[in-house]
Amino acid sequence: MGRLSTHVLDTTHGRPASGMVIELLEARAEGGWKALKTLTTNADGRTDGPILGPEEMRTGRFQLRFHVGAYFRGLGLDLPDPAFLEHVPIQFGIADASGHYHVPLLCTPWSYSTYRGS
């Protein structure tokens, strides 16, 4: 029952990042990336369901692209132009399609971190 999930924490304000746009991309064998999905986080900073559910999971290289600049501008933060972080791309591999891959993002307009969660 493999799946891919995420959650986003706005560490500037100490709360989940509600309303952040996230893109899922897959690496192409010939190079570059193929866009698969665009999602938006809910009030808990999560997507409403898995990004990839059991029927969609597969091995490969993927990227979650978090739209942090638009998120923080939407909260009224006065960001420089251009913003220091506009998009945060997290590239990762899925080696076991039956596993749970949880890729969270903790972010501010000037920093971010991630890890493989559970």
Side-chain angles (χ1 to χ4, degrees):
M1 298 302 292
R3 68 189 187 280
L4 171 63
S5 61
T6 190
H7 73 271
V8 185
L9 298 175
D10 171 350
T11 55
T12 296
H13 298 100
R15 63 183 183 217
S18 174
M20 184 179 290
V21 173
I22 304 168
E23 295 174 86
L24 173 66
L25 302 104
E26 185 174 20
R28 294 178 181 222
E30 64 276 7
W33 296 92
K34 176 184 176 185
L36 298 179
K37 293 184 180 184
T38 301
L39 307 118
T40 303
T41 58
N42 59 24
D44 194 34
R46 300 175 185 275
T47 56
D48 287 331
I51 298 169
L52 293 176
E55 67 286 347
E56 302 169 296
M57 281 292 283
R58 57 189 172 273
T59 60
R61 303 247 4 116
F62 295 87
Q63 178 181 155
L64 288 173
R65 189 172 188 230
F66 298 86
H67 292 233
V68 298
Y71 166 79
F72 284 112
R73 277 192 299 280
L75 294 178
L77 269 74
D78 185 23
L79 300 180
D81 186 19
F84 181 67
L85 294 175
E86 187 62 39
H87 300 104
V88 172
I90 299 175
Q91 297 179 15
F92 58 95
I94 294 177
D96 176 7
S98 67
H100 178 196
Y101 286 75
H102 185 70
V103 184
L105 178 72
L106 291 75
C107 65
T108 78
W110 303 276
S111 65
Y112 66 91
S113 65
T114 190
Y115 55 93
R116 180 173 177 193
S118 59

